Amino acid sequence: MNTTTSLTALQVMQDAPVIPVIVLNDVAHAVPLARAFLAGGIRMLEVTLRTPQALACIEAIAREVPEAMVGAGTVRSASDAQAAANAGARFAVSPGYTSAVGQACRDAKLALLPGVATGSEIMRASEDGFTELKFFPAVQAGGVGMLKAWGGPFFDVKFCPTGGITLQNAPDFLALSNVVCVGGSWLVPAQVAESGDWGRVTRLALETKALHQ
């Protein structure tokens, strides 16, 4: 069980302009990848629960690289949330939102960035007390224009757009007043882990420092 000091969702979002979205297939890659991100100034690491090795990777990072803040992505159920917390995750990111997932994350002391793509989903999450949200899939669901439109009725909500975000379009999202950070998979090119080119990850992380936040 996660017994470390709790983070808030806003703290997760404010730490850097980009939260890397990480898919890991080999536990041996988890620790060097986390250290590469730290060297580039990024601490919040979202390891998605899309592979059988994901929880073991979260556990390895939490144990071996405690200065990183490892979180679990693709959290779709209460059992996902509990398993992530047991592995040492500090925060959770979900592709959508249900009250069961929200409550499970509260019970497990995991900061949660719930996924939303419509006004009704924002209202549902807000009713349960979540006002820092993941806009997903951002580009496919309306992109910058949608976020601008939401700025009026949902003036008190902050977003982390994820899905289709690149180094090239990230500044357009980060320039919006209701966007705190973005989620991006470009920071972990598919071939990096196989080649062990952790220096490339550090260089990509450092590039995000030039992004407006």
Side-chain angles (χ1 to χ4, degrees), residues 78-168:
S79 60
D80 282 347
Q82 188 59 62
N86 289 343
R90 303 288 303 279
F91 64 94
V93 183
S94 59
Y97 178 72
T98 68
S99 293
V101 167
Q103 188 59 52
C105 287
R106 284 201 169 100
D107 292 344
K109 295 182 171 54
L110 288 175
L112 173 64
L113 290 178
V116 299
T118 68
S120 295
E121 291 168 353
I122 295 171
M123 291 169 65
R124 191 173 304 120
S126 297
E127 282 180 354
D128 286 352
F130 296 97
T131 54
E132 289 82 33
L133 309 176
K134 167 184 171 178
F135 175 33
F136 177 80
V139 170
Q140 297 86 342
V144 168
M146 183 68 83
L147 286 161
K148 286 181 178 178
W150 281 343
F154 302 117
F155 60 89
D156 56 340
V157 177
K158 299 296 183 184
F159 295 96
C160 171
T162 305
I165 309 298
T166 66
L167 182 63
Q168 289 69 40

Side-chain angles (χ1 to χ4, degrees), residues 32-86:
L33 181 65
R35 289 178 175 152
F37 273 120
L38 280 178
I42 291 182
R43 298 189 305 160
M44 299 294 170
L45 309 177
E46 177 191 339
V47 177
T48 64
L49 301 184
R50 300 180 191 177
T51 68
Q53 298 80 14
L55 289 169
C57 290
I58 290 170
E59 187 173 4
I61 294 171
R63 181 180 63 249
E64 302 293 334
V65 197
E67 59 269 40
M69 304 289 179
V70 64
T74 321
V75 172
R76 296 169 47 192
S77 65
S79 60
D80 282 347
Q82 188 59 62
N86 289 343

Side-chain angles (χ1 to χ4, degrees), residues 4-29:
T4 54
T5 302
S6 295
L7 291 168
T8 67
L10 190 59
Q11 286 172 330
V12 173
M13 295 169 75
Q14 288 176 332
D15 203 68
V18 181
I19 298 174
V21 179
I22 302 166
V23 179
L24 285 168
N25 293 293
D26 189 335
V27 178
H29 296 155

